[in-house]
Amino acid sequence: MEKNCTSVWKECLEFFRDNLGESANYKAWFSPIKAVKLENSTLTIQVPSQFFCEYLEEHYVDLLRSAIKRTLGPEGRLEYAVIVDNTNHNNPFVVTSESGYRKETRNQPIAMPVPKQSQQLPDPFIIPGITKAKVNSQLNSSYSFDNFVEGECNRLARSVGYSIAEKPGKTGFNPLFLYSPVGLGKTHLMNAIGLQAKLNNPDLTVLYISSDLFTQQFSDAARNTDFKNKNKQKNDPKGSPDDDNKLGTINDFVHFYQHIDMLLIDDIHKLVEKPKTQDVFFQIFNQLHQSGKQIIISSDKPPVELQGIEQRLLSRFKWGLAAELQVPDVETRIAIMQKKLHSSGVEMPKEIIEYIAYSISTNVREMEGVLNALLAQSIYNKKTITMELARKMIDQIVHNSAKEISIDYIQKVICDHFNLEPSKIHTNTRRREIVIARQLAMFFAKKHTKNSLASIGAQCGKRDHATVLHACKTIQNLTETDKAFKGIVEELDKKIKN
Ligand code: ADP
Ligand code: MG
C-alpha cells in the first residue's frame, strides 16, 4: 500500500506513544500536530507556532529523527509548517529547524490592530499619575508555581502553563482553557502563570480578572455610554468634556483591554446567558489573539459542555489547548497539606494528615479549610490537634455532597485492619488475604459510594464490573456462612462510617 502523509504520521505517533506513553507530554506536544504533505520522502507536519517547533527540536529531536527514519527510511526528512489556525486569517508559513531538516517560508504577518490612544480609565486597575498607564495585575502572590504541588491530576496543565509563562502568546496554546469543578486549582494555576510570566519579563502587562468583575465593569461602561449619549442629544451641560473624562465608556473599556499582553479571565462560565458581555469579550479576544497576546481562560466545564455561550466564542476557545485539572490522588492531597503545614510552621501527626486526605477527596479548597480550622484551633485556642478534633472540623466544614466516603478511604481502613500496604490492592497477586481485602474494598465501595461497578473496578486494581459484582456476592455469602467473618465485616463497616 502506498504511504501518504496521514498514514506515515499515524505510524510516527504510535512510535511516540510507545516511547512516551499516553503522558502529558505526548498529549501536549504530539497530539496537536497534523501531517499536511508527503513529497519525495519529506513529511511536512503542521504545528501551531514557531515556539512549538523550537520546543520539539530542543526536546524531541532524537525521537523525531528515529520516527522519520523508521517510517520513511534513511532519505526521510521532516519539515514544519507553522500554521496559526485562526480560520479568519490563514497564515501559513514554514520555518527553520535546528535539526537540519529543510524549511521554507510562505506567508504573512497578521494585521495588527492599532490601538487608539485610550483616555485614562477611572478603573480600579489603573495606577493614576503615571504617563504610560500601568496596570495593576491583580495577581495573588501566594498562588505561585512554587506553592502549586504537581501531580498526575495537573501535569499537562502545569507544564503547558509553565511554557506559556516563558513565551506568552507564542506557544500555540492560545488560548489556554483550564477546566475543572470548583476547588481544584484553576485560579491558583492561572495566577502562577501570570506571576511567572512577570518574573520572566517585568514589563509584561498581565491582568487577572474574574468574569464577574469583567461583567460589572462592562455594564458600568455601558451605562456611562448611554448617559453621555443622552446628555449629548439633550445638549445638557452635564455632558461637558469634564464629565467625559471621569466616566469610562465602552470604547475606553475595550481600549483598556487592548493593551494587555496576558489576559487571565477566571470562571468564564459566569458569562453564560449574558450575550452583551460575551459580545464585548469576543471583540477583545479577537484583538488580543490577532496581536499575538496570550489569553488564559478558566471554566467549570470543557468548551463542548458550555451551554449558553455563543458558538463563535466556543470555537475560539478550542483554538489553543483545553486542559483539565483532575481530582488529585491521595499522595498529591497529602503533599498539598504538607506544603501548607510547612509554611505555617505547625506540626501535625501523620495519621491526622492522612485521615483528612482520605476523607476529603474531591475538593482541595475544602481540604485546606479543614486544615486552616485545625491550625487556628492549635495556634489561637492552644488546643492539641487530635483525631477527634480533626473529625469534628471535617463534619463542620465539609459540604455534605463532598463528604461521601471515598474509595481511597475504604481501602485504607481495610488495609490498616489487615496490616497490608494499600498499594497491594492494586496488584495482580492471588494471595488469599489480598484477594479478600480487595473484595471487601469493592463490597464497601458499592455499599457506601455512588460509584458505578465499572468505576469501582477501575479503582480497585483495574478490574471490570463483573469482577466487582462477583466480589460483592462472595462477601455477602461469607457473611452469611461464617460468623467470625461477619464480625470483621461489621467492625470494618463501623470504622468506615466512623
Ligand atoms: P478553583 O479555582 O479550581 O476553584 P482554586 O485555585 O481556588 O480552585 O484552589 C482552591 C485551593 O486549593 C487554593 O487555596 C489552592 O491554593 C489550593 N490548591 C489547589 N490545587 C493545588 C495544588 N496542586 N497545589 C497546591 N495548592 C492547591
Ligand atoms: Mg477559581
Side-chain angles (χ1 to χ4, degrees), residues 29 51 55 139 144-145 157-173 176 189-202 204 206 261-262 264 294-296:
W29 299 105
F51 171 76
Y55 191 95
L139 291 165
S144 62
F145 270 114
R158 191 184 179 285
S159 75
V160 164
Y162 207 82
S163 302
I164 288 175
E166 280 177 354
K167 301 236 170 159
K170 300 196 172 52
T171 60
F173 305 125
L176 172 63
L189 183 58
M190 299 182 113
N191 273 270
I193 301 170
L195 290 167
Q196 188 64 32
K198 286 282 278 181
L199 267 182
N200 295 340
N201 175 7
L204 199 75
V206 178
D261 298 320
M262 182 187 264
L264 314 168
Q294 180 71 46
I295 302 157
I296 303 180

Side-chain angles (χ1 to χ4, degrees), residues 143 147-149 154 183-188 336 364-365 368:
Y143 283 170
N147 293 337
F148 191 74
V149 174
N154 59 34
L184 294 183
K186 299 181 292 296
T187 302
H188 188 143
I336 292 174
V364 179
R365 185 175 301 148
E368 284 190 349

